[in-house]
Amino acid sequence: MTIVALQTNELKHGLKTRHVTMISIGGVIGAGLFIGSGTIIDSAGPGAILSYIIAGLMIVLIMRMLGEMAVVNPDSGSFSTYAHQAFGPWAGYTIGWLYWFNWVIIIAIETTLLGTMIHDWFPGIPMWAASLSFPILMTITNIYSVKAYGEFEYWLAFMKVAAIVIFLFLGAAMIFGLVPGFDSPGLSNITGEGGFLPKGFLPVLLSVIFITFSLSGSEVAAIAAGESENPEKNIIRAINSVVWRLLLFFVGSVTVLVLVIPQGAEDLLKTPYASVFDMAGLPAAGQIMNIVIFTSLLSVLNSGLYTSSRMLYSLSKKGDAPKILSRVNKRGIPIWALMASVFFAYVFTTFKFVSPDKLFAFLANSSGGVTMIMYIFIAFSHLYLRKKTEKENPGTLKVKMWLFPYLTYVTIAVLFIIFVAQAFIDSMRLQFFLTTLLTILVIGSYFLFYHKKNVIAAEQEGKLKNIHVKEG
């Protein structure tokens, strides 16, 4: 009986509603917000608020599309599965492998950042040793059970959310002059010298491109919902929570930064959140934010191992990866997919120490635009599957994209503009060409290694169906 249980190769539904909801919220709150927002404000001025509103709305629309498809078909492969259903095996294969590669690179980046922080705190610990220890720790939480991952991620995300909520309340108190020893600037940073758009509107639009790339992570909720107790209910809750909390946390906290930190204060914008705590007279502000950032990096690493393993598992189930990767242990964990992700994460982390400016930089740039390609696949898949579902089974559409199909078309157009715009931005040009090249190579690998096999499998499946019909 035990052998049979081990060979079912099915994931267990161990995540609770609160796990999926917090995963969806925490997925987009990372070091990119706590540190990257300062760079955005420095380049766009107070207009950065508009940049975050536009980018936030884009993510909300993408999540709405993904949520609609996920309610109809909760699946650990998520958008890879939906691309497969909409456009065929090549599409699911392409976005699945690109997304897996992207997350493994992110794991390597977060690992080295964590190692750097540990080395700064404890100089006696070599950075490489600290870096290589964290994937092991996160693997333990992932390998025990999906519930253990969900619980650990819940508390990591909770700490990030709590930090932002405290920051919002503190910022509001500073703006309204309720903090002793701090003279409220009111609206002078917006209405005073320089105004709302001190450098014009172009930096606002360019900032949208950078922000959109940094907001990936909310889609993890759609993957996790497939292992929850009530996928349909949890996806709906996750989507609804992302919609308003994303705008509140990102737009709200950036508004606080803009109103409190004077324009042109580059030193303060290097660590903007810590600067606001320091301006409020709170002791150890920098250390507090370092702990929050450390927690954020751990959270991303934890989610990265989970997400990459589930995507490999899904690819294996569809025949787009070695079959061994779809085997699960008695706790329902795709153990071989997890180990493969950890292994390659270690390989890429090693590249960071051996060849940081060449080999690792090449890999990082190759994966940099994958987020936008993923969004484009989601939007096109939604366009096709929504029309198909309306014809075949409209009752399953419990969550619907607003103003369909017009908002979907607008989203696709904006996504293409953002993706192509990389080619005209010096700092993103290499990323654009390398990601495009990688995408072409992945598509080519499908037709070289898997297309013929899938055609034969489809023909055999068709013959079996005909046999069953005749026998019936």
Side-chain angles (χ1 to χ4, degrees), residues 217-290:
S218 54
E219 74 282 347
V220 176
I223 295 173
E227 290 183 78
S228 65
E229 297 169 339
N230 190 334
E232 180 182 308
K233 174 185 173 184
N234 287 327
I235 290 170
I236 293 173
R237 282 198 177 188
I239 298 304
N240 291 337
S241 67
V242 164
V243 167
W244 68 269
R245 294 184 192 186
L246 180 70
L247 295 175
L248 173 64
F249 291 157
F250 277 81
V251 179
S253 60
V254 170
T255 300
V256 168
L257 294 175
V258 165
L259 293 177
V260 173
I261 298 178
Q263 283 197 42
E266 295 182 6
D267 290 341
L268 296 178
L269 289 173
K270 289 179 180 177
T271 54
Y273 287 78
S275 296
V276 171
F277 280 112
D278 191 51
M279 292 166 72
L282 294 178
Q287 287 82 348
I288 293 171
M289 283 312 303
N290 276 336

Side-chain angles (χ1 to χ4, degrees), residues 260-441:
V260 173
I261 298 178
Q263 283 197 42
E266 295 182 6
D267 290 341
L268 296 178
L269 289 173
K270 289 179 180 177
T271 54
Y273 287 78
S275 296
V276 171
F277 280 112
D278 191 51
M279 292 166 72
L282 294 178
Q287 287 82 348
I288 293 171
M289 283 312 303
N290 276 336
I291 292 172
V292 173
I293 292 170
F294 184 82
T295 302
S296 297
L297 295 174
L298 270 182
S299 173
V300 174
L301 176 56
N302 191 39
S303 288
L305 288 175
Y306 170 81
T307 308
S308 57
S309 65
R310 268 44 178 193
M311 190 56 71
L312 267 190
Y313 166 84
S314 177
L315 286 167
S316 177
K317 291 279 283 187
K318 292 194 289 282
D320 293 334
K323 279 298 178 185
I324 192 174
L325 298 177
S326 59
R327 293 182 184 177
V328 302
N329 62 15
K330 62 182 179 182
R331 297 187 181 97
I333 303 298
I335 186 69
W336 291 105
L338 179 60
M339 290 297 103
S341 298
V342 173
F343 172 77
F344 281 100
Y346 270 126
V347 171
F348 295 155
T349 302
T350 303
F351 291 163
K352 177 67 176 177
F353 293 104
V354 174
S355 180
D357 299 325
K358 294 182 179 179
L359 189 54
F360 187 82
F362 175 83
L363 293 172
N365 280 308
S366 298
S367 69
V370 167
T371 296
M372 203 53 52
I373 292 176
M374 172 190 69
Y375 290 157
I376 291 170
F377 266 95
I378 289 173
F380 272 113
S381 299
H382 170 258
L383 196 63
Y384 177 87
L385 293 177
R386 169 66 177 269
K387 292 178 179 179
K388 181 180 179 183
T389 305
E390 283 180 340
K391 290 179 181 178
E392 297 177 357
N393 195 5
T396 58
L397 291 170
K398 304 293 179 62
V399 172
K400 292 184 179 181
M401 174 64 176
W402 307 292
L403 298 177
F404 179 82
Y406 308 107
L407 264 184
T408 303
Y409 284 127
V410 170
T411 304
I412 290 172
V414 173
L415 290 173
F416 265 108
I417 291 171
I418 291 175
F419 183 71
V420 175
Q422 296 175 89
F424 301 93
I425 301 173
D426 290 340
S427 61
M428 304 185 82
R429 188 172 295 121
L430 181 62
Q431 172 178 293
F432 170 77
F433 287 111
L434 288 180
T435 301
T436 302
L437 176 62
L438 177 66
T439 303
I440 293 171
L441 290 175

Side-chain angles (χ1 to χ4, degrees), residues 159-238:
M159 291 177 68
K160 292 190 289 185
V161 171
I164 288 194
V165 170
I166 292 171
F167 175 82
L168 289 173
F169 276 108
L170 176 64
M174 295 172 73
I175 292 167
F176 288 105
L178 302 177
V179 176
F182 177 79
D183 295 328
S184 172
L187 299 177
S188 61
N189 285 342
I190 292 178
T191 59
E193 185 178 352
F196 189 71
L197 299 172
K199 301 177 183 178
F201 197 67
L202 182 60
V204 173
L205 294 178
L206 291 176
S207 295
V208 171
I209 298 172
F210 289 99
I211 295 168
T212 306
F213 280 98
S214 69
L215 288 183
S216 63
S218 54
E219 74 282 347
V220 176
I223 295 173
E227 290 183 78
S228 65
E229 297 169 339
N230 190 334
E232 180 182 308
K233 174 185 173 184
N234 287 327
I235 290 170
I236 293 173
R237 282 198 177 188

Side-chain angles (χ1 to χ4, degrees), residues 44-178:
I49 297 173
L50 282 180
S51 301
Y52 274 92
I53 290 175
I54 297 170
L57 287 175
M58 285 298 301
I59 303 303
V60 165
L61 294 177
I62 291 295
M63 282 297 292
R64 187 75 182 186
M65 296 179 208
L66 186 57
E68 179 185 301
M69 294 184 288
V71 168
V72 174
N73 179 23
D75 187 90
S76 60
S78 190
F79 41 85
S80 171
T81 299
Y82 310 141
H84 181 111
Q85 294 171 343
F87 305 111
W90 73 268
Y93 173 94
T94 300
I95 194 58
W97 277 110
L98 285 175
Y99 189 68
W100 174 82
F101 175 69
N102 182 52
W103 265 111
V104 174
I105 290 292
I106 290 174
I107 292 169
I109 293 172
E110 305 302 296
T111 295
T112 54
L113 290 174
L114 285 164
T116 301
M117 293 187 77
I118 291 294
H119 179 68
D120 290 342
W121 291 339
F122 308 100
I125 300 177
M127 190 171 70
W128 66 266
S131 296
L132 297 178
S133 67
F134 284 104
I136 296 174
L137 296 174
M138 293 302 101
T139 299
I140 293 172
T141 68
N142 275 268
I143 208 170
Y144 185 74
S145 70
V146 69
K147 185 177 180 180
Y149 155 74
E151 196 65 31
F152 193 71
E153 183 58 26
Y154 174 86
W155 290 108
L156 289 176
F158 181 84
M159 291 177 68
K160 292 190 289 185
V161 171
I164 288 194
V165 170
I166 292 171
F167 175 82
L168 289 173
F169 276 108
L170 176 64
M174 295 172 73
I175 292 167
F176 288 105
L178 302 177

